[in-house]
Amino acid sequence: MLQSSNFRALLVASFVSVLSSIGLGQTDVLTQHNDNYRTGWYDRESKLSPATVNWHTFGKVLTRTIDGRSMGQVLAVSDVSIPGVGTKNCIYVTTSKNTVYCWDATSSSATAPYWTRNLGPYVPSADVAAGVKPYVGIVGTPVIDRAANALYVVAYNELDGVISYRLHALDIRTGLSLGEMPIQGGVLGTGEGSIDGLLRFDPRKHLQRAGLLLQNGKIIICFASHDDQNPFHGWVFQVNQATLTLDAVFCTTPNSGRGGIWMSGAAPASDGQAIYVTSGNGRANATSNNGYGDSALKLMLDGRLSLADWFAPHDSAYLDQYDLDYGSTGVMLIPGTNYMLTGSKASKMFLIDGRNMGRWNSISDNVVQSWIASNEHIHCSPIWWSTSAGAFAYVWGEDDVIRQFQWAGNHFITTPYAVGNYKLVDGHMPGGMLSVSSYNGDPATGIVWALHIDHALTPTQVSSGPAVLRAFRADNVGVELWNSEIFDSWDSIGSFAKFSPPTVAFGRVYVPTSEGKVRIFGLVGTKRATMKLSNLSQRYNGDPRRVTVTTDPSGLTGVTVTYNGSTTAPRSVGTYAVVATLSNALWKAPPVEGTLVITRRRG
């Protein structure tokens, strides 16, 4: 199924020419899914590759402590000049308690953050009927302007019963304020919640879930709802970066309702001239003034957020009736083309031409391509990887395995190029949150990183539970390299941070949690091994009874076995607690426990 060598070379050359313009190839992760195309691709990873990521050499190396639940993606910036400290590689983490952290990205001796900044009192979930519990603060992923040393983030506040959103600009070196502004505004309309032909943004009814976008000196902020509590709408605010003043407001459903822009936490995509978002809930059609629920929208960066084009599935009414949101993922723009890729809770992927998005008709979807790409809902935005081995998009829906689809220049081959070997549990969300890393596009270095909930341990929990991180070969996701359950006692993550993809930078993988931790994975200093006990059921014959211990790699020295706490092998009938430990300068392994049962020989 691979393309010809000449076609591959032309394909890769065309993508390389646009890498710098969309942010690929940079050391920093300044925005959700790495770049404004939302590819999720980090192409400067020189340490982590299929040759180094395995259960002998890779695992959890650090933990950072934060004050609560983190729901945005971790951002990473190299060579930050921290006053009084020096030049450091840093990560930036936000919490639902409205706190922003700047931590050292790699140092084990950095036991405290370089700075923290709290942006005011958060909102108790009960006060706004929020699905985010038990409190709501910073939810959407911030965005960083490296040249300005500025981080932009939206905080959710309640003070003396007044609930509001504010955009903050913080200095990434110190955490000091560079300015702030309230987020407020409205549009003309007669939709749900309007008064006398004016529809105003109501901060009590809306959730700032999507990541922020910075493009052409404009900050784009999107809103959806609190747990689908009516009335709500989809809102887009455009803010002038230089002055922190409002430029424009767009509402998806000014004369109806719903149409929230949540995109499972993804940020708006941009090609430099327009922005692209998807909306969920509500309906869209071509003949009424109903608005743009369950739609993909192209809004121009013209100072007015004017609507240039849009698409909605032909069965929009059906999708709305059964909560099969079209806008369950964000938009991924395919580098070097005019195409975009989106997904839905109806298990479909849609390939759309940004020059003619197709709008809506009642018969069929006017798009380049649509296909069933998963067994169940798709929440994770697709990610992109392109090398001489081919170009691919990846997606991992609910009740499914990870799937890899090959790009053929102007369409996808809808039969998966490869699929993973681990299937998520039926009926539970949200699937796998994905990122991909490689080095300079070298196909031998590509890894797809996936974060999901281990529902096997908590089958009754829908969107919370223990998190699992997995690594697959990017050139064939059928090959799993490593996962955090192999050495669960060492690599356990904690509770899943909903919709937060892993961040790769500086030879590390950063995973936020819902319990006040950021877990950091990388190459471990001492190699890891496994031990296995066998021969645990034996017959007594008077000789010392020992279990069999096998190691991987085989033949490791330094294995000690105890029986009820003694290293002396038992000689009598009985039941013995067996513990095997490894003491080896070059390798380490978690202790292995078992029970040796010796019974009397018959006859």
Side-chain angles (χ1 to χ4, degrees), residues 454-475:
D454 187 351
H455 285 303
L457 294 179
T458 54
T460 62
Q461 293 178 294
V462 175
S463 58
S464 63
V468 180
L469 178 66
R470 294 183 186 273
F472 303 90
R473 288 190 66 105
D475 57 1

Side-chain angles (χ1 to χ4, degrees), residues 287-419:
T287 58
S288 75
N289 200 22
N290 207 30
Y292 304 99
D294 277 341
S295 301
L297 306 175
K298 178 180 182 178
L299 305 176
M300 299 307 297
L301 285 165
D302 55 6
R304 296 178 291 114
L305 287 177
S306 56
L307 180 65
D309 206 352
W310 58 284
F311 162 74
H314 74 281
D315 53 351
S316 175
Y318 174 85
L319 299 179
D320 182 52
Q321 180 180 357
Y322 293 99
D323 193 31
L324 295 172
D325 304 349
Y326 165 70
S328 61
T329 77
V331 178
M332 187 197 77
L333 304 181
I334 298 178
T337 78
N338 296 298
Y339 298 113
M340 66 187 77
L341 188 62
T342 67
S344 75
K345 285 167 68 174
S347 309
K348 280 187 176 182
M349 299 298 295
F350 296 82
L351 181 66
I352 304 170
D353 190 332
R355 298 165 298 185
N356 179 13
M357 293 178 63
R359 305 204 171 190
W360 178 88
N361 70 48
S362 61
I363 305 301
S364 62
D365 296 331
N366 288 331
V367 294
V368 177
Q369 195 176 16
S370 66
W371 74 99
I372 298 294
S374 176
N375 287 346
E376 263 287 359
H377 299 175
I378 301 173
H379 293 277
C380 74
S381 291
I383 60 171
W384 177 262
W385 187 61
S386 175
T387 74
S388 58
F392 304 97
Y394 307 82
V395 65
W396 196 347
E398 298 176 27
D399 184 26
D400 206 358
V401 295
I402 185 172
R403 295 176 183 267
Q404 175 179 359
F405 295 98
Q406 187 171 19
W407 177 245
N410 58 7
H411 69 280
F412 283 97
I413 300 170
T414 58
T415 299
Y417 180 89
V419 298

Side-chain angles (χ1 to χ4, degrees), residues 52 126 161 164 166 181 275 285 351 373 385 391 420 465 510 552 593:
T52 60
S164 64
R166 296 188 74 84
M181 62 162 280
I275 69 169
N285 63 57
L351 181 66
W385 187 61
Y510 303 90
D552 188 351
E593 299 180 2

Side-chain angles (χ1 to χ4, degrees), residues 121-198:
Y122 52 80
V123 180
S125 303
D127 290 358
V128 289
V132 177
K133 293 180 173 56
Y135 41 77
V136 193
I138 300 169
V139 178
T141 301
V143 66
I144 293 174
D145 184 338
R146 178 60 193 264
N149 286 312
L151 178 146
Y152 300 93
V153 63
V154 173
Y156 197 30
N157 303 115
E158 181 172 5
L159 184 63
D160 297 330
V162 177
I163 292 175
S164 64
Y165 282 101
R166 296 188 74 84
L167 172 67
H168 295 262
L170 303 179
D171 190 314
I172 63 172
R173 300 164 296 187
T174 63
L176 295 177
S177 176
L178 300 174
E180 60 181 270
M181 62 162 280
I183 300 173
Q184 53 193 16
V187 297
L188 297 175
T190 58
E192 297 175 10
S194 64
I195 299 175
D196 297 329
L198 181 63

